[in-house]
Amino acid sequence: MPYVSKQQFEEGVQNLPNANARTLEQLEKYSTSENSGLRMEFFFYTDEQNKASNLAIDLSKLGYRIDTVDRSEGDEGLWVVTGLTTKMKSDLNTMNDWTTLMWKIGFENDCEFDGWGTLVDQDEMDLR
């Protein structure tokens, strides 16, 4: 049985515009404009190591840094993949396109895209 069903994928993509709009609205409170070039941190979950590893390979092909491919601290039965994108604009269209892509790549690897975050002060982010 797959970890991410087609229905979960479709619902996740359908909910993106509202979730992204709320998050971007919060970022604007910290003087972040839609033209700010920000690196986004991403989070995925799945139930098998090989799925997590394959996802990490696909994400690294996009030029993204992979930080974690490991068992979830909260649930030993899950694997987590985290990392950081290259700089990108933070306007709603860009974020909707990007999060749709993240859901699609996740679904192709039977991994669930669990969302994104960023730091307003990118100097605080470990950008190695």
Side-chain angles (χ1 to χ4, degrees):
M1 186 164 122
Y3 181 71
V4 180
S5 71
K6 180 80 168 162
Q7 181 177 350
Q8 284 173 293
F9 167 72
E10 290 170 351
E11 288 174 0
V13 170
Q14 183 178 8
N15 292 329
L16 289 176
N18 289 334
N20 287 337
R22 286 192 307 273
T23 303
L24 291 172
E25 188 176 294
Q26 291 299 315
L27 283 175
E28 286 176 13
K29 292 180 182 179
Y30 297 98
S31 300
T32 301
S33 76
E34 62 183 34
N35 291 320
S36 297
L38 298 175
R39 293 175 63 136
M40 304 299 171
E41 189 174 19
F42 50 81
F43 310 90
F44 291 86
Y45 288 95
T46 193
D47 58 348
E48 294 179 16
Q49 181 181 11
N50 67 327
K51 294 175 186 178
S53 296
N54 289 334
L55 173 67
I57 291 167
D58 285 351
L59 293 170
S60 66
K61 288 177 182 176
L62 296 174
Y64 297 168
R65 185 183 82 195
I66 305 303
D67 293 331
T68 305
V69 178
D70 206 352
R71 288 203 181 272
S72 169
E73 290 182 20
D75 184 341
E76 286 291 315
L78 293 180
W79 286 81
V80 62
V81 177
T82 66
L84 202 58
T85 68
T86 54
K87 283 188 175 184
M88 53 198 269
K89 290 173 64 173
S90 57
D91 64 278
L92 186 57
N93 286 335
T94 300
M95 295 308 299
N96 286 342
D97 289 347
W98 176 73
T99 50
T100 299
L101 176 64
M102 293 298 94
W103 264 102
K104 182 180 177 195
I105 291 172
F107 184 68
E108 290 169 353
N109 287 281
D110 199 24
C111 300
E112 181 178 15
F113 177 58
D114 193 47
W116 60 273
T118 192
L119 290 176
V120 175
D121 184 356
Q122 296 271 297
D123 292 335
E124 292 180 24
M125 195 174 277
D126 181 6
L127 300 177
R128 279 181 266 141

